Amino acid sequence: MQLSTADAFIVGGFLAISLAIGLRLSRSAGRDFGAFFLAGRRQPWWLLGVSMVATTFSTDTPNLIADIVRNHGVLGNWTWWAFLLSGMLTVFLYAKLWRRSGVSTDVEFYELRYSGRAAAFLRAFRGVYLGLVFNVLIMAAVTLAAIKIGSVMFGWSPLQTVLVAAGVTLVYSAAGGLQGVLFTDLAQFAMAMVGSVAATAHILRLPEVGGLDGLFSNPLVQDKLEFWPSLTTMSWSDLAPVFLIPLLVQWWAAYYPGSEPGGGGYLVQRMLSARDENHALWATLLFNLLHYAVRPWPWILVALASMVVFPGLEDIREQFPHVPDEVLRDDLAYPAMLTFLPPGLLGLVVASLAAAYMSTMSTSVNWGSSILVSDVYRRFFRPDATERRLVWAGRLFTVLLMVLACAVSLTIESALEVFQILVQIGAGTGLLYLLRWFWWRVNATTEIVAMIASFSVALAMQFFGGHLDGWQQVLAGVAVTTLCWLPCAFLAPQTDQSALVAFYRKIGPGGPGWCPIARISGPAGAPGHQSLAAPLGASLLGSLAIYGALLSTGYLLYGRLAMAVALGCLACACGYALRQVWVNRAIAV
């Protein structure tokens, strides 16, 4: 395909706007570390919430959805829909605590919560692991999706796509810091949503698809439409990986970017940059609403339509013979469907995909470099570094991360492959991240042991677990990792009492897990939760409200009005109950 003049103008104009925003904010962003990486800690909830959802809307996301739907149907989306449960806990339990902590990065938390050399080692190790290794893998998956889109739609080589996709993002990220990222995210999310909806509307009108009625009546997709498993048609081995394990285990046991139990990564970076605790809470709530209830349906519909137009991989191969064999997977179906777009709309959609790519990559390089600068470079090598030096170190790390991610993207094959690897590596650590805020016995050794155990199990599964299904590997990882770290909470050297008391007074966590420390320290200096019942109830109600809205939309598209109305009423009722539960606990923003 070739971009028309109008298409090129749309794409070029959008890239120019993104670049201009970053350059315009470069001077204010370069003042100091807080300005470059935390945008001065004065950002409003609506900007942060949109930025969170823009960051998790990347070029690999619709590809991942296409892969899931083509292999497991709409039901397969529970593998990521289940993470809403941990997301709502983050909203009502953890967002305020993160903002109250006053740390600069989520990795700095380790020396606030723990003590001694173990805490310092944990901070250094997690700094390199999260900021470099983990982050580069995520960025590589995003860049791989861009490579597949460029290959299918324009016949570009992987190297061509990498050079074009990364160039503008690198410049404005290195120049404007987090403030530049936030404002470009706002424009990029709007562009990405408009593009995905417009593309879906056009694809549904294709003669092969025949609109919603033609799509849903097509025998190729009819067995892929259900949201709920059927015990009469599905075996337990089919049911476990796409429904049971995600809802019963994965959401609390696994650490995955954007859905970290207890919050983490770039979501925490935005919480820390909020004006206050309530802005952090509302930003995270807005993110979960947009992420789960608003955004998925255009991708799901295109994925279903792709099963009509390209029933198998051989059909994609026939249509796009120039695509390299190493990237020919089901996730290629989404960009393949975009080749049917006409001029004008094509430019809009290409700009929306560029927006999705840029929002994720800019956030990832800014967040990763903030960790490498604050928790590795400044903490262990140059504690006396000037603010200006820290900013320039951040810009250098930004370039390094982008180059590494682009290089790794040339060696992997699918977004789903990276998703499964990251879930397996983090299996069993999630419960620890949830408990460390509310149980004083969790110590630095427990986290070190958990990381070693989860990584060791993931490595063992790669070499010796070939006979096990993916969900069985996840369960094994959770069980082994938990059995390794839990005894350490009682047997390993405990955190110094002075550190525990300081943490309790600063954060004010609720629940019974801090009772021994509360008796020593007296009343917490921060207004912690007197009871965990209200935030836990709010999390449950919020989850039901968003799931109701998500599924109500789906049934409405299917034409099943009774179910759509019933679930819509459930969403409204839970939303109202949530307001009643929380109205006296949150300050209006």
Side-chain angles (χ1 to χ4, degrees):
M1 296 181 66
Q2 296 293 325
L3 291 178
S4 67
T5 302
D7 293 329
F9 180 80
I10 293 172
V11 175
F14 178 76
L15 295 178
I17 290 172
S18 298
L19 184 59
I21 292 173
L23 295 176
R24 172 65 179 81
L25 296 170
S26 61
R27 179 171 296 182
S28 60
R31 289 197 311 266
D32 54 40
F33 179 92
F36 191 81
F37 291 114
L38 294 171
R41 296 189 192 264
R42 58 178 185 273
Q43 302 308 306
W45 64 276
W46 56 268
L47 181 60
L48 295 173
V50 171
S51 178
M52 289 178 184
V53 75
T55 293
T56 54
F57 183 172
S58 185
T59 44
D60 68 325
T61 313
N63 290 20
L64 174 63
I65 301 304
D67 201 339
I68 289 172
V69 171
R70 287 172 65 88
N71 285 284
H72 303 291
V74 178
L75 171 69
N77 285 286
W78 285 105
T79 55
W80 67 278
W81 286 346
F83 283 120
L84 171 64
L85 300 174
S86 62
M88 296 310 290
L89 283 178
T90 300
V91 172
F92 294 107
L93 269 178
Y94 299 101
K96 285 190 172 185
L97 302 184
W98 275 112
R99 183 61 182 85
R100 190 178 299 166
S101 71
V103 296
S104 298
T105 70
D106 54 329
V107 176
E108 186 181 336
F109 169 86
Y110 293 113
E111 289 196 294
L112 175 69
R113 173 63 177 82
Y114 308 125
S115 61
R117 292 183 177 179
F121 168 79
L122 191 57
R123 183 175 179 181
F125 180 84
R126 291 290 282 182
V128 174
Y129 172 68
L130 288 179
L132 186 62
V133 180
F134 197 80
N135 193 35
V136 164
L137 273 177
I138 296 298
M139 294 166 62
V142 174
T143 304
L144 174 66
I147 289 172
K148 295 193 175 190
I149 291 171
S151 176
V152 167
M153 297 186 69
F154 310 114
W156 289 352
S157 70
L159 184 59
Q160 283 178 291
T161 303
V162 163
L163 292 176
V164 172
V168 174
T169 308
L170 179 59
V171 172
Y172 83 73
S173 301
L178 182 61
Q179 186 76 71
V181 171
L182 294 177
F183 280 100
T184 51
D185 277 353
L186 190 62
Q188 288 162 359
F189 177 66
M191 177 64 77
M193 285 304 301
V194 169
S196 66
V197 172
T200 302
H202 179 83
I203 288 169
L204 290 175
R205 290 196 297 268
L206 292 175
E208 303 95 317
V209 179
L212 286 175
D213 292 338
L215 176 63
F216 296 144
S217 62
N218 194 297
L220 292 173
V221 303
Q222 282 188 327
D223 63 342
K224 301 288 188 179
L225 298 177
E226 290 302 320
F227 302 127
W228 309 106
S230 171
L231 296 178
T232 59
T233 60
M234 295 182 67
S235 66
W236 285 104
S237 60
D238 294 328
L239 188 62
V242 297
F243 191 76
L244 293 179
I245 298 303
L247 280 173
L248 296 179
V249 179
Q250 184 175 291
W251 69 269
W252 58 263
Y255 183 98
Y256 186 76
S259 303
E260 301 90 343
Y266 34 77
L267 298 191
V268 165
Q269 185 186 31
R270 276 133 181 87
M271 297 177 207
L272 295 174
S273 64
R275 289 178 181 173
D276 55 39
E277 297 169 14
N278 291 294
H279 279 263
L281 184 154
W282 284 101
T284 316
L285 180 60
L286 177 62
F287 158 68
N288 281 279
L289 175 65
L290 295 176
H291 182 59
Y292 293 100
V294 174
R295 205 171 53 180
W297 280 108
W299 304 330
I300 293 173
L301 293 175
V302 173
L304 290 170
S306 76
M307 300 180 66
V308 176
V309 180
F310 301 110
L313 289 179
E314 65 278 4
D315 300 291
I316 301 178
R317 160 63 68 204
E318 182 179 350
Q319 184 72 20
F320 306 101
H322 61 277
V323 173
D325 291 338
E326 61 269 17
V327 300
L328 184 64
R329 299 292 184 273
D330 279 301
D331 62 347
L332 208 65
Y334 187 85
M337 294 300 294
L338 299 183
T339 61
F340 292 96
L341 301 178
L345 181 55
L346 176 62
L348 178 65
V349 172
V350 170
S352 74
L353 293 172
Y357 173 84
M358 292 160 65
S359 62
T360 299
M361 294 295 283
S362 60
T363 287
S364 295
V365 294
N366 185 271
W367 168 66
S369 61
S370 74
I371 291 175
L372 293 174
V373 170
S374 178
D375 301 297
V376 180
Y377 176 72
R378 178 170 63 178
R379 171 63 178 83
F380 296 99
F381 295 99
R382 290 297 301 269
D384 59 342
T386 64
E387 294 292 329
R388 184 175 179 82
R389 189 181 186 91
L390 294 176
V391 170
W392 278 105
R395 286 171 170 156
L396 290 175
F397 279 125
T398 296
V399 175
L400 173 65
L401 290 172
M402 185 69 81
V403 171
L404 288 176
C406 291
V408 173
S409 70
L410 302 176
T411 68
I412 56 179
E413 297 180 351
S414 77
L416 186 59
E417 173 189 350
V418 176
F419 176 87
Q420 292 169 339
I421 290 173
L422 294 178
V423 168
Q424 179 63 53
I425 289 176
T429 60
L431 180 60
L432 176 61
Y433 298 138
L434 292 172
L435 290 179
R436 63 187 182 180
W437 291 89
F438 296 102
W439 189 26
W440 71 274
R441 281 193 176 275
V442 174
N443 52 65
T445 304
T446 60
E447 294 220 25
I448 295 171
V449 169
M451 286 190 303
I452 295 173
S454 63
F455 184 79
S456 299
V457 172
L459 195 63
M461 291 301 173
Q462 290 295 313
F463 289 99
F464 308 111
H467 61 289
L468 297 177
D469 293 332
W471 66 271
Q472 294 173 322
Q473 295 182 14
V474 170
L475 277 185
V478 170
V480 172
T481 301
T482 303
L483 289 174
C484 287
W485 73 255
L486 190 57
C488 294
F490 297 94
L491 303 177
Q494 297 298 322
T495 305
D496 288 347
Q497 188 178 94
S498 59
L500 293 172
V501 169
F503 181 83
Y504 178 78
R505 288 178 174 171
K506 183 179 182 65
I507 303 299
W514 285 89
C515 286
I517 306 303
R519 287 194 291 268
I520 298 171
S521 67
H529 301 297
Q530 297 304 309
S531 169
L532 298 183
L536 290 175
S539 301
L540 177 60
L541 290 170
S543 298
L544 291 174
I546 292 177
Y547 279 140
L550 168 70
L551 299 179
S552 176
T553 303
Y555 281 119
L556 185 63
L557 291 170
Y558 288 0
R560 297 170 62 177
L561 295 182
M563 285 297 294
V565 171
L567 286 166
C569 291
L570 172 66
C572 293
C574 290
Y576 177 78
L578 173 61
R579 181 180 182 278
Q580 296 303 110
V581 168
W582 204 253
V583 69
N584 295 322
R585 306 185 65 86
I587 301 171
V589 294

